[in-house]
């Protein structure tokens, strides 16, 4: 095939990054071909090099990185060999970019419309007045509210989802041949994500623009892309048409990208309530964040609390742990009301309610070894010291599928999944009846998430521990819960067994939340679009 | 969780409200500082009268002296007398020139400080005029060409000069430009009847010394402030929109850099105020700093207090100015939601 | 590529580094140290040797007066004598001992006061924190050299009042830094985890917070030492710091400063006041170089190549 058929033809592209006093490969020779108007999804987990590849395909590298080999032909120009000046003429006009965090990627000192039309005006594509008029049309096409005036605003005056759409408008303004979307919806709540996805897809299709869509979420990319390329460790795993990839992936690794969705658990009911939150109100200063929240946690079961940011799900956890005393209502543990303040609770109660955090990185003291981290609760709660303590730590390490080699390691010498396992072991060391899991898998890659969830389920079966599982990820909820609590704006919207909550009919908010979760079906977004018109 | 903004009955523009708040805080700080400076006189040992007036002082003269200082009155009354005087330009009377005999040849502090104040402000202004543009230029270019030989040599040089005491720099300059090649006067003998040109010529070595000392600081901090900013995603976005390096700095980084740069400048001008003391002594420059050192040696408390109040006020004012610049260049405050 | 999706937690590749002892790691870091850091270390070692062995190295006594004041450089008096006939070379060596000793004592005292209060304020976060913080704000509004001059005029100049006054003034800066870094650590999940476990305040402070704020505090110690050193030198130079007959570099510059006017007749004499001044500059350069390297290392924010 000749190069002329492709808008972008990347061959054997290599990118290196400077770290630890040497150049390390990040992208290890990847090919990527894209025709005009085609959308390619780049998918992979953290460290796969997908963002680096997406930028390098534009001829751009971040500070501390360099392109060390290969070629990237775009419209007859090799972006790898082109001079900075040649590339600058293309960037912002023929080749544009939509970044992950719109809030951070807009210059706080300039108005939105100025930033939207900047390159169009600079390159003389159209005069200021025409460019502004066009920007307003684009805002309208992207379903932004008040398209006539929203451009007069500054970035901090606009919400995150709207900013992401303004950024798409900015990328569209010069009518580029290719747009690179770099995780554009990752930072958004699911209900906002749907809106942004809809308007981005419409814009790309209406203008017949080619796009590279980078994400770690296969369900999202399935809606956007014609072709999907899976990356791992800076190399290509496979590439296929979207439908074919979802129906029959060639590689096991690709299948593992949706492994969490494959987990399943039969929900079991129980009347033996270990923890009960009863009519709790709570406030940070004058701002009330929980309104009459009541939740029951049965012994040895998993209750998932789902909601978007600001729903009050993490605050509920803080009330249970005693970090935030409620202004009304109480928390009962095994039938007895818990003192509201952490300081008034006795050691035995503290021992029985343990907590695992979202970021295992910050949940472990970086100056303590694994042995010290797990050993401390053993000594503190059970008085184990010396040899006995060491023996028990190693037993715990084996329970979480690690071994005694880890005893002397520092947290910085562990992978993300291993860190979270150590945190689980620290909670287990206390011999708890309840573990509060606060978004424990959301910072992890899919395959690691699956491992952690399986471990938690096995431990629950063996030790009859109840989990209060706080998350925003519906796939995880569906995989592991017995019961589900849906929260919105500090109130409980719905609660019940998993089968009840996930099956219709739903209260309005649950309906919105559930319908916003992207499904592993390329037609899902189209269906939503039709429903909403 | 974001707190809802409570709008008062008098809904001021947030910029104005923030500035007023800062000014208020500045005034309160100044008030407390004046209390600290004032209270220092109460820490004086009891036999201070004899120390000032000499061993031969009679009991009556010491008592009269104590009465004049108001040491027989409650501290609150004395404070308000003192601060009331300060506001009206009456800084009290110097201790020096008194004698045990009771004959009083002492001068008023305001009379002593007045002309020197002018000289010190002149020296500081002269230094600022040279140092600020120079440091900004060096700092911005070092940030622009970071990790080149230019940046690296600037880094080592400034790290070295930061470590130099002012008098070391001063004497090197005197040795080179004052005695070996006598281009400039090594004693800054500034007179009241001098023309501006003569004044500048006389003060060039002290100004140069101060410049060398503060440029290093200011340049390093400017460079750090800009590099900090260049790491933000919106700068990467600007580069990805094909903006030239010059426009990235001028149009995208600089409008957001005024607050940190203003802080850098104010911090260094405040430092300048202090550096002035040593430099004035080296060059025998007739300013407030030298006066203060002399007064400290002779334990002339009213003069020390007045000088300390001057330096502290200048320091607080400069920091206040930096805050205000930071506030008026902050788009979040300029364009509230 | 044939990558199987088989998963084993223990085999998961993290950023696993080879485990090395503390000394091995230190040695590896040292080998990678830039030349400025090596210069810094050499300077500091040299000064410490001078300070410790001053009586053995100096050819004459600290306050021994000879017949000829302002004697020129010679074999007997390497750097000549000062205005009352004391050997400048010997005083220079003793000066290392006095000046560094006083500056070190002052810095330690400042860290004891400022660091202790800073830690307490960071963990306590109540009215006590508010009170100390606002108080420190006010004290910091007075330039430190000016404050020191004012207090010295009241209490008189002696080594002890110098140490106490400067340490108190400097402790405000130490307080601010300690509080700021400790607050950052105190909000970490692992501190919350320790509190949820029921650990007491002492344990949280000693085991969870202190080890994690040491690197910035160590760097700050170097910087504050430089600052204290320069302040004391300046005060001595102004004649209100360390008092004669104790030898110290700041006063030595002042005492011999007039020699600089004779540069055209005896260039060596003109260098005499510059030597103690250079001695002051050199040690601060050394410490600054070392701290600069340490800061780059511990912050991990190395400049991009």
């Amino acid at each position: 095939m000749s190069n002329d058929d492709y808008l972008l033809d990347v061959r054997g592209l290599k990118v290196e990054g400077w770290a630890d006093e040497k150049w390390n490969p990040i992208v290890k020779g990847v090919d990527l071909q894209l025709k005009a108007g085609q959308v390619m999804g780049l998918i992979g987990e953290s460290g796969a090099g997908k963002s680096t590849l997406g930028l390098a395909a534009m001829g751009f590298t971040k500070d501390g990185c360099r392109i060390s080999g290969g070629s990237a032909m775009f419209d007859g120009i090799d972006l790898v060999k082109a001079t900075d000046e040649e590339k600058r003429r293309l960037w912002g006009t023929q080749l544009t970019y939509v970044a992950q965090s719109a809030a951070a990627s807009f210059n706080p000192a300039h108005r939105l419309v100025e930033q939207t039309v900047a390159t169009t005006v600079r390159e003389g594509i159209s005069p200021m007045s025409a460019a502004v008029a066009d920007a307003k049309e684009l805002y309208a096409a992207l379903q932004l509210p008040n398209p006539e005036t929203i451009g007069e605003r500054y970035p901090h005056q606009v919400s995150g989802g709207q900013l992401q759409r303004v950024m798409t408008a900015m990328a569209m303004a010069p009518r580029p041949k290719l747009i690179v979307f770099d995780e554009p919806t990752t930072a958004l709540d699911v209900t906002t994500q749907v809106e942004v996805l809809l308007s981005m897809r419409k814009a790309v299709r209406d203008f017949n623009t080619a796009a590279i869509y980078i994400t770690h979420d296969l369900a999202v990319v399935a809606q956007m892309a014609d072709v999907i390329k899976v990356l791992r460790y800076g190399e290509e795993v496979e590439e296929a048409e979207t439908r074919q990839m979802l129906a029959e992936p060639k590689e096991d690794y690709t299948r593992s990208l949706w492994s969490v969705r494959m987990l399943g658990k039969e929900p079991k009911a129980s009347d033996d309530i270990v923890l009960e939150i009863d009519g709790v109100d709570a406030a940070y200063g004058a701002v009330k964040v929980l309104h009459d929240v009541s939740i029951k946690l049965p012994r040895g079961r998993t209750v998932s609390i789902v909601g978007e940011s600001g729903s009050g799900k993490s605050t509920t956890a803080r009330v249970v742990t005693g970090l935030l005393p409620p202004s009304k209502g109480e928390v009962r543990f095994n039938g007895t009301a818990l003192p509201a303040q952490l300081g008034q609770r006795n050691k035995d109660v503290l021992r029985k309610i343990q907590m695992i955090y979202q970021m295992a990185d910050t949940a472990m003291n970086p100056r303590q070894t694994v042995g010290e981290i797990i050993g401390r609760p053993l000594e503190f709660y059970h008085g184990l010291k010396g040899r006995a303590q060491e023996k028990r730590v190693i037993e715990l390490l084996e329970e979480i599928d690690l071994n005694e080699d880890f005893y002397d390691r520092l947290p910085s010498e562990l992978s993300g999944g291993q860190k979270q396992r150590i945190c689980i072991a620290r909670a287990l060391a206390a011999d708890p009846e309840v573990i509060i899991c606060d978004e424990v898998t959301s910072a992890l890659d899919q395959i690691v998430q699956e491992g952690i969830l399986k471990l938690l389920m096995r431990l629950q079966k063996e030790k009859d521990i109840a989990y209060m599982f706080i998350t925003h990820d519906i796939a995880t909820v569906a995989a592991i819960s017995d019961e589900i609590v849906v929260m919105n704006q500090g109130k409980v919207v719905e609660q019940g067994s998993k089968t009840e909550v996930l099956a219709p009919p739903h209260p309005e908010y649950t309906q919105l939340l559930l319908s916003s979760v992207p499904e592993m079906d390329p037609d899902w977004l189209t269906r939503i679009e039709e429903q909403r018109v | 969780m974001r707190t809802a903004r409570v709008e008062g009955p008098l809904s001021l523009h947030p910029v104005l409200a923030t500035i007023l708040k800062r000014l208020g805080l500045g005034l309160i700080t100044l008030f407390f500082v004046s209390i600290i400076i004032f209270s220092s006189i109460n820490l004086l040992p009891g036999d201070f009268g004899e120390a000032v007036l000499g061993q031969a002082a009679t009991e009556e003269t010491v008592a009269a002296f104590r009465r004049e200082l108001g040491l027989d009155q409650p501290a609150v009354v004395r404070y308000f007398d003192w601060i009331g005087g300060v506001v009206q330009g009456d800084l009290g009377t110097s201790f020096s020139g008194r004698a045990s005999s009771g004959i009083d040849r002492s001068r008023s502090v305001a009379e002593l400080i007045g002309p020197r104040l002018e000289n010190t402000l002149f020296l500081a202004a002269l230094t600022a005029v040279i140092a600020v543009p120079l440091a900004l230029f060096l700092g911005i270019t070092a940030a622009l060409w970071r990790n080149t030989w230019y940046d690296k040599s600037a880094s080592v040089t400034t790290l070295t000069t930061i470590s130099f005491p002012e008098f070391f720099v001063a004497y090197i300059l005197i040795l080179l430009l004052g005695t070996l090649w006598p281009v400039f006067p090594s004693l800054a003998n500034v007179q009241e009847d001098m023309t501006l040109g003569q004044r500048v010529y006389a003060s060039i070595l002290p100004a140069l010394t101060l410049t060398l000392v503060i440029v290093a600081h200011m340049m390093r901090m400017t460079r750090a402030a800009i590099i900090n900013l260049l790491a933000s995603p919106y700068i990467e976005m600007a580069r990805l929109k094909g903006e030239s390096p010059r426009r990235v700095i001028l149009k995208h980084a600089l409008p957001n850099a005024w607050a940190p740069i203003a802080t850098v400048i104010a911090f260094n001008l405040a430092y300048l105020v202090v550096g002035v003391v040593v430099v004035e002594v080296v060059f025998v420059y007739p300013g407030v700093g030298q006066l203060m050192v002399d007064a400290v040696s002779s334990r002339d408390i009213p003069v020390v207090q007045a000088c300390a109040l001057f330096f502290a006020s200048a320091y607080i004012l400069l920091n206040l100015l930096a805050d205000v610049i930071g506030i008026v260049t902050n788009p979040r405050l300029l364009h509230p939601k | 590529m044939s990558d199987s999706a088989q998963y084993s937690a223990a085999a998961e590749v993290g950023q696993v580094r080879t485990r090395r002892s503390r000394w091995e790691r230190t040695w590896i870091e040292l080998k990678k140290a830039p030349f400025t850091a090596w210069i810094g270390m050499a300077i500091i070692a040299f000064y410490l040797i001078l300070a410790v062995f001053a009586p053995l190295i100096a050819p004459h006594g600290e306050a021994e007066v000879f017949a000829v004041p302002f004697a020129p450089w010679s074999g007997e008096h390497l750097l000549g004598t000062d205005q009352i006939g004391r050997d400048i070379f010997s005083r220079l060596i003793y000066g290392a001992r006095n000046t560094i000793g006083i500056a070190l004592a002052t810095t330690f005292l400042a860290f004891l006061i400022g660091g202790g209060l800073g830690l307490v304020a960071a963990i306590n976060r109540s009215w006590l924190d508010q009170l100390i913080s606002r108080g420190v704000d006010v004290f910091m509004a007075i330039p430190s050299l000016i404050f020191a001059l004012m207090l010295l005029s009241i209490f008189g100049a002696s080594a002890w009042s110098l140490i106490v006054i400067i340490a108190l003034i400097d402790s405000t800066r130490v307080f601010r830094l300690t509080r700021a870094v400790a607050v950052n650590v105190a909000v970490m999940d692992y501190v919350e985890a320790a509190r949820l476990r029921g650990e007491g305040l002492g344990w949280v402070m000693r085991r969870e917070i202190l080890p994690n704020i040491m690197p910035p505090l160590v760097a700050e110690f170097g910087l504050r030492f430089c600052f204290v050193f320069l302040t004391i030198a300046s005060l001595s130079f102004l004649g209100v710091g360390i008092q004669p007959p104790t030898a110290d570099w700041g006063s030595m510059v002042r005492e011999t400063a007039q020699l600089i006017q004779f540069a055209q007749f005896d260039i060596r004499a003109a260098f005499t006041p510059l030597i103690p001044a250079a001695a002051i500059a050199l040690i601060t350069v050394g410490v600054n170089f070392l701290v600069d390297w340490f800061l780059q290392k511990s912050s991990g924010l190395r400049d991009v190549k």
Side-chain angles (χ1 to χ4, degrees), chain A residues 43-150:
Chain A
I43 187 161
E45 296 174 315
S46 53
K50 53 191 190 300
S51 286
T52 312
L53 174 62
L55 286 172
M58 294 176 70
F60 185 90
T61 53
K62 294 193 185 245
D63 282 342
C65 294
R66 66 172 189 200
I67 298 178
S68 56
S71 65
M73 295 300 293
F74 174 80
D75 234 12
I77 299 173
D78 183 357
L79 294 170
V80 172
K81 295 206 182 75
T83 64
D84 282 351
E85 206 160 315
E86 285 169 323
K87 283 188 285 192
R88 279 207 297 272
R89 223 171 293 137
L90 293 173
W91 290 342
T93 54
Q94 300 290 309
L95 275 166
T96 58
Y97 178 73
V98 175
Q100 173 173 353
S101 164
S105 298
F106 272 110
N107 192 319
H110 302 302
R111 291 177 196 277
L112 292 174
V113 69
E114 288 170 36
Q115 304 191 48
T116 309
V117 303
T119 51
T120 323
V121 174
R122 187 189 75 210
E123 296 297 320
I125 297 171
S126 55
M128 185 58 113
S129 55
V132 170
D134 178 63
K136 287 176 183 170
E137 276 172 36
L138 279 171
Y139 294 153
L142 286 157
Q143 282 122 38
L144 280 159
N146 309 318
E148 284 296 316
T149 52
I150 195 167

Side-chain angles (χ1 to χ4, degrees), chain B residues 121-180:
Chain B
L121 290 177
F122 175 76
L123 180 57
L126 182 63
T127 311
V129 165
I130 307 173
V132 172
L134 184 65
L136 288 188
F137 175 78
L138 291 174
I140 293 174
T141 47
L144 202 53
W145 301 317
R146 60 188 178 285
N147 296 313
T148 59
W149 64 268
Y150 170 79
D151 179 34
K152 279 177 185 154
S153 52
S155 166
V156 174
T157 317
T158 50
L159 198 55
T160 311
T161 49
I162 280 172
S163 322
F164 286 179
E166 289 92 352
F167 52 81
F168 184 48
V169 180
Y171 282 125
I172 290 178
L173 286 179
I174 291 184
L175 180 64
L176 294 178
L177 301 175
T179 56
L180 285 182

Side-chain angles (χ1 to χ4, degrees), chain C:
Chain C
M1 56 182 283
S2 62
D3 210 309
S4 73
Q6 284 226 322
Y7 177 70
S8 148
E12 193 176 295
V13 197
Q15 293 159 317
V16 182
R17 286 188 246 125
T18 6
R19 280 195 66 70
R20 296 190 176 98
S21 74
R22 180 180 291 258
W23 284 111
E24 278 175 308
R25 271 186 268 189
T26 315
W27 177 239
I28 287 168
E29 290 302 338
L30 275 179
K31 277 199 291 195
K32 283 195 295 193
F35 86 104
T36 45
W38 279 104
I39 294 176
M41 283 184 272
I43 293 172
I44 293 167
F46 174 69
Y47 274 73
L48 286 181
I49 291 169
L50 275 192
V52 173
F53 299 107
L56 301 176
I57 301 169
H60 302 288
E62 182 178 1
E64 205 178 327
V65 179
F66 294 89
V68 192
F70 287 131
W73 294 16
S74 66
E76 173 69 16
H77 300 292
L78 274 179
L79 299 175
T81 59
D82 66 6
Q83 79 283 9
I84 56 169
R86 291 170 300 196
D87 182 55
I88 289 179
F89 182 65
S90 305
R91 283 179 74 73
L92 201 60
I93 293 166
Y94 276 100
R97 176 175 260 209
N98 301 329
T99 322
I100 295 175
I102 288 182
L104 264 183
T106 309
T107 319
F108 269 118
L109 190 59
F111 267 77
L112 210 63
I113 302 168
L117 287 178
L119 263 183
V120 171
I123 298 174
N124 174 285
R125 303 301 295 280
S126 63
W127 60 271
L128 185 71
D129 175 28
Q130 283 294 315
L131 188 76
I132 306 177
S133 296
R134 293 294 82 75
V136 161
D137 284 350
V138 171
F139 277 101
M140 283 184 72
I142 309 177
S144 50
L145 185 70
I146 302 299
F147 207 2
L149 278 172
M150 196 177 87
L151 291 179
L152 284 170
S153 75
I154 291 160
F155 294 106
S158 72
W160 283 112
S161 57
L162 204 61
I163 290 176
V164 173
I165 288 172
I166 311 243
L168 277 177
I169 293 173
D170 227 45
S171 65
T172 56
R173 269 97 183 148
V174 179
F175 167 83
R176 267 215 185 157
L177 181 92
T178 313
R179 184 185 171 280
V181 291
V183 162
N184 280 340
V185 173
V187 298
M188 288 296 200
D189 287 342
Y190 58 81
V191 177
E192 189 184 298
R195 285 176 57 210
L196 287 182
R197 189 158 63 229
E199 302 281 3
L201 184 67
W203 204 89
V204 171
M205 239 166 104
R206 220 176 50 249
R207 300 299 300 277
E208 305 284 355
I209 296 185
L210 205 55
N212 288 296
I213 61 170
M214 276 323 272
L217 284 191
V218 168
E220 183 68 6
F221 188 88
L223 294 179
R224 294 260 61 92
F225 171 79
C226 286
F227 190 82
V228 164
F229 194 86
L230 286 177
T231 308
I232 292 178
S234 296
L235 288 171
S236 300
F237 171 78
L238 296 173
V240 292
I242 302 171
Q243 298 296 313
T246 309
D248 105 285
W249 296 335
S251 337
M252 286 173 71
V253 177
R254 183 173 51 110
E255 286 157 1
T256 55
Q258 58 203 100
L259 287 175
I260 216 162
Q261 300 302 336
F262 305 108
Q264 282 172 324
F265 312 105
D266 180 359
I267 184 71
R268 288 193 300 189
F271 277 124
T272 310
L274 288 182
I275 289 170
I280 295 165
L282 195 62
I283 186 170
T284 42
V285 170
V287 176
N288 262 326
F289 276 175
L290 198 61
V291 169
D292 196 54
W293 171 61
F294 184 80
L295 273 180
Q296 276 184 23
K297 282 210 57 51
S298 62
S299 72
L301 288 171
R302 241 161 293 169
D303 273 346
V304 177
K305 298 267 159 166

Side-chain angles (χ1 to χ4, degrees), chain B residues 233-255:
Chain B
Y234 61 81
I235 295 297
E236 186 178 292
M237 191 70 205
R239 290 173 59 203
L240 273 163
K241 281 165 83 179
E243 296 280 37
S244 64
R246 212 171 61 99
R247 273 173 64 94
V248 167
I249 296 273
L250 296 180
K251 188 152 177 286
H252 296 269
L254 220 47

